[in-house]
Amino acid sequence: MQPQLYRGEVWHGRCLPVQHQFRYRHAWVAISLPQQDVMQLRLAPGVRWQRRRHGPRDGSPLWPWLCQRLREHGVHEVGRIELHTLPAVLGYVFNPVSFYLVLDHDEQLRAVWVEVNNTFGAHHDYCLRHPDLAPIRPRDEFVAPKALQVSPFFQIEGDYRFRFQRDAGSGRFGVAIDYRRDGSRRDFAARQQGWPQAATAANVWRLVLSCASLTFAVWLRIHWQAWRLWRKGAPFFGKNGQVATPAPAGRSVTPINEHAIPSKIQRRAQP
């Protein structure tokens, strides 16, 4: 069984301290656990999903590890877990965030395990669920205190607001993330959505090449957008949260209009 291939796009909008936003086409894979809980899954020559990149990061099975972690958070009945992430290309991959969709035996979404990595080599996990483990609906919002310095332009403060959508009919997966430092104003927003692709030879190679380019493009885009942010006047924070590089003198600070932030990524038609 091969991983499910997804194609869509991602949008980022930084509201404070400066205005900055961008949109890119995006592609990724969805791994079904425990069915595909193996050391690695080959997509194409040089393109593989590798288990050692996730969870305990020692190559051990993800299913028992994650089920144990979920039980610690009160989630005891798990039918299947769907991991949305990027594969490795030539042994290299950087996943800023991976989403584990925790489904019950009726394929209803009951929890989401969020695995976050930063450019400093650290990582942190968030478990998002309702207190009564009710099914997660598209309008449901989950708040998690920020526990990891993800961007060097924000310190460890405030919280994230997550919303998820998984359509059982079309297979569409979407996630909306808002970051607020003071609990009221939105400082940063991210939107991602995509659709599963038919497993034709043309689609497999098209998406494999997309994943291959994205694996390296993610790293390049992070640094390119960081440079643009610094030029706009955003201060750069190091690992200890202190200002490592001051913003260029004379740059104005202009908040982005929050009404320009989409509640979800809009497309004219499914890709």
Side-chain angles (χ1 to χ4, degrees):
M1 179 183 293
Q2 284 289 85
Q4 177 67 64
L5 302 173
Y6 271 75
R7 184 173 62 179
E9 61 182 18
V10 62
W11 178 92
H12 283 192
R14 197 170 296 260
C15 313
L16 294 170
V18 297
Q19 176 179 347
H20 188 73
Q21 56 183 308
F22 59 86
R23 184 189 302 263
Y24 290 123
R25 292 182 179 178
H26 195 39
W28 66 92
V29 297
I31 310 297
S32 181
L33 304 175
Q35 294 87 347
Q36 297 171 342
D37 194 355
V38 296
M39 288 294 293
Q40 61 181 6
L41 290 166
R42 181 180 180 272
L43 293 171
V47 182
R48 290 174 170 82
W49 172 79
Q50 298 172 318
R51 189 168 63 188
R52 64 183 177 86
R53 305 285 185 176
H54 302 277
R57 290 170 173 77
D58 58 5
S60 59
L62 288 177
W63 175 258
W65 176 85
L66 189 54
C67 286
Q68 175 59 37
R69 297 295 306 275
L70 288 168
R71 284 193 292 269
E72 294 170 3
H73 289 269
V75 183
H76 296 277
E77 296 184 13
V78 180
R80 186 172 70 88
I81 296 174
E82 198 173 86
L83 166 59
H84 289 250
T85 189
L86 283 172
V89 178
L90 300 178
Y92 173 80
V93 65
F94 174 64
N95 277 302
V97 59
S98 298
F99 302 99
Y100 297 76
L101 308 186
V102 182
L103 309 170
D104 63 18
H105 294 284
D106 295 322
E107 288 287 299
Q108 293 192 91
L109 183 60
R110 297 285 179 167
V112 180
W113 188 270
V114 182
E115 188 176 67
V116 181
N117 301 287
N118 67 14
T119 54
F120 299 127
H123 56 269
H124 185 79
D125 298 336
Y126 300 92
C127 182
L128 308 175
R129 59 174 180 75
H130 288 298
D132 61 355
L133 297 179
I136 294 176
R137 307 302 183 191
R139 294 182 179 274
D140 295 343
E141 184 176 79
F142 300 88
V143 180
K146 182 176 181 179
L148 178 71
Q149 186 183 3
V150 179
S151 166
F153 294 95
F154 286 121
Q155 297 171 296
I156 302 177
E157 57 183 342
D159 56 52
Y160 294 112
R161 314 290 177 95
F162 295 87
R163 296 191 305 278
F164 300 95
Q165 183 171 357
R166 180 182 180 273
D167 186 84
S170 67
R172 175 185 176 272
F173 169 66
V175 57
I177 305 173
D178 293 334
Y179 169 58
R180 303 172 190 261
R181 286 180 293 178
D182 63 3
S184 58
R185 296 184 304 172
R186 183 162 32 191
D187 295 270
F188 171 82
R191 305 289 184 261
Q192 176 183 330
Q193 75 169 349
W195 289 265
Q197 303 299 296
T200 64
N203 275 342
V204 168
W205 279 106
R206 184 183 302 116
L207 292 178
V208 163
L209 291 174
S210 296
C211 287
S213 63
L214 279 166
T215 296
F216 299 104
V218 165
W219 185 89
L220 291 173
R221 288 170 180 173
I222 286 173
H223 289 81
W224 167 243
Q225 298 297 341
W227 182 83
R228 292 182 63 199
L229 273 169
W230 178 78
R231 289 292 298 167
K232 287 184 176 183
F236 184 93
F237 299 97
K239 287 185 180 181
N240 58 2
Q242 301 299 316
V243 176
T245 305
R251 298 288 177 175
S252 61
V253 176
T254 306
I256 192 173
N257 180 4
E258 287 208 14
H259 295 293
I261 299 175
S263 59
K264 62 181 181 179
I265 297 175
Q266 302 291 342
R267 291 185 64 90
R268 294 181 180 178
Q270 177 177 331

